[in-house]
Amino acid sequence: MINPILASSARRRMRSIRTPILITLYGAMIFAVGLGAAFGAFASSTLSIFAMREGVTAYAAMLAIQFAMILLITLAMTAGSIAGERERQTLDMLLVTNTGSLRIVAGKLLESLGYVALLLVAALPTMCLTLITGGVTLADVLTGALFLLVTAFAALSVGVFASAVFRRTVTATVMAYLIVFFIGVVTMVPLVLGVRNIGSNYDAMFSSTMVSSVAVIGGADGIGIGVNGFIYSPAMGLMALIADQTGLLKSTLMDYSYTMYRIYDYLDFSAIKWENMAFMAGAGLLLDLLAACFVRPREARMRRRSAKK
């Protein structure tokens, strides 16, 4: 049976004139970013190594822009989902029906996630332009879209959680952005500590002829901490995805961290990107379950259990 909250919310959103307009504008903006980053590569009648480089750079730019936009858009989409029902005094009417709190959370979340999926589909044709220049495969493009969808799921879950905990839409929205900012800072701590630890023991790890690459990865605590930073941080997960698919960012790291530049070749970005997506999906599910606990007040849950007995 279709979730009634999902069906009602999706019907209301898709009937709005703003939906096709926003989807069109989103697709057009990503097209402008891709074309601006690699106009010469896409418009040229011949391809060169430089053109391939432009196409790959355009792909990375489109991923980064969509990642930033998803974090900005999705939080506002769900931060008022539950709090708005409270303000309109319609949440109590939903709770007295057979619709459980978990179904309410799932309906609100899936409706917004479906809308974000439409935005990503609108951007797929532009991202596939990079297939013309080479350097990126169709599997890479689809994996990038999946990463963005998982990121959207995690961000939407933060918004739903904030909306369930706080009773006012404005408060829930502000707290959702603060939570994401806090998550971004906290998840960078293991990476910073790992890089600092590696830097302090640089001579011992990289100068010794007795240390092989396998021993460095397996035995160096600093690198282990650094890998955890890539897994837990959404932004570093995006970096791992781009590094694995395009091979970019190594020279860029030289300008910011010489230690990260040196350990770049020792990191298994192919595994890290999947582990990062798994972590975000698991964290999102946990937040959704916690949000369902806050939707129905404790007193209402106790009365419901007493009525069943």
Side-chain angles (χ1 to χ4, degrees):
M1 182 179 179
I2 299 177
N3 188 309
I5 305 298
L6 171 61
S8 175
S9 300
R11 189 181 301 113
R12 182 169 58 252
R13 184 183 293 275
M14 295 309 297
R15 286 178 177 176
S16 174
I17 189 63
R18 293 183 300 176
T19 298
I21 293 177
L22 291 176
I23 292 175
T24 303
L25 290 176
Y26 182 87
M29 188 197 67
I30 300 302
F31 177 76
V33 171
L35 198 63
F39 175 79
F42 296 150
S44 176
S45 58
T46 60
L47 292 177
S48 62
I49 298 298
F50 180 73
M52 292 179 62
R53 174 78 177 191
E54 280 189 326
V56 170
T57 302
Y59 171 76
M62 286 185 284
L63 277 179
I65 290 295
Q66 291 189 85
F67 178 82
M69 289 194 62
I70 283 174
L71 291 181
L72 291 175
I73 294 174
T74 52
L75 294 174
M77 290 174 62
T78 54
S81 56
I82 307 298
E85 296 287 352
R86 286 198 181 99
E87 290 179 338
R88 294 189 295 270
Q89 298 182 351
T90 54
L91 182 61
D92 291 336
M93 291 187 290
L94 290 175
L95 293 175
V96 298
T97 64
N98 292 327
T99 304
S101 56
L102 186 59
R103 296 188 70 188
I104 294 175
V105 170
K108 297 290 187 181
L109 178 73
L110 293 176
E111 184 270 330
S112 298
L113 185 63
Y115 181 71
V116 175
L118 287 178
L119 295 177
L120 296 178
V121 169
L124 272 179
T126 302
M127 295 182 67
C128 287
L129 283 176
T130 55
L131 301 179
I132 299 175
T133 61
V136 178
T137 65
L138 180 60
D140 291 335
V141 173
L142 295 179
T143 302
L146 177 62
F147 175 85
L148 294 175
L149 189 63
V150 174
T151 302
F153 171 76
L156 289 169
S157 298
V158 172
V160 170
F161 175 76
S163 186
V165 173
F166 302 97
R167 294 183 172 275
R168 297 294 180 184
T169 300
V170 175
T171 305
T173 303
V174 173
M175 291 305 300
Y177 283 100
L178 289 178
I179 290 173
V180 169
F181 176 77
F182 178 77
I183 291 173
V185 172
V186 170
T187 54
M188 288 294 291
V189 171
L191 184 65
V192 174
L193 293 177
V195 171
R196 184 173 298 176
N197 189 22
I198 293 170
S200 62
N201 299 282
Y202 176 82
D203 293 335
M205 287 195 300
F206 290 101
S207 298
S208 176
T209 57
M210 300 295 291
V211 179
S212 65
S213 61
V214 176
V216 169
I217 295 176
D221 294 336
I223 290 185
I225 297 174
V227 171
N228 292 335
F230 277 96
I231 294 173
Y232 300 145
S233 173
M236 299 310 295
L238 174 66
M239 175 183 168
L241 175 71
I242 295 176
D244 176 61
Q245 292 184 345
T246 66
L248 299 176
L249 300 180
K250 183 176 181 180
S251 58
T252 305
L253 285 175
M254 184 68 176
D255 298 330
Y256 298 95
S257 173
Y258 182 71
T259 305
M260 286 296 299
Y261 171 79
R262 291 302 301 265
I263 69 171
Y264 182 94
D265 294 327
Y266 295 102
L267 298 177
D268 185 4
F269 290 114
S270 179
I272 289 174
K273 68 182 181 184
W274 293 110
E275 292 169 353
N276 182 269
M277 284 189 274
F279 175 78
M280 286 195 294
L285 287 174
L286 178 61
L287 287 175
D288 295 333
L289 293 175
L290 291 175
C293 297
F294 285 97
V295 168
R296 188 183 297 274
R298 185 175 183 276
E299 295 78 6
R301 293 199 301 268
M302 296 298 293
R303 288 196 300 266
R304 187 179 181 183
R305 292 175 182 175
S306 300
K308 286 183 178 180
K309 293 179 180 179

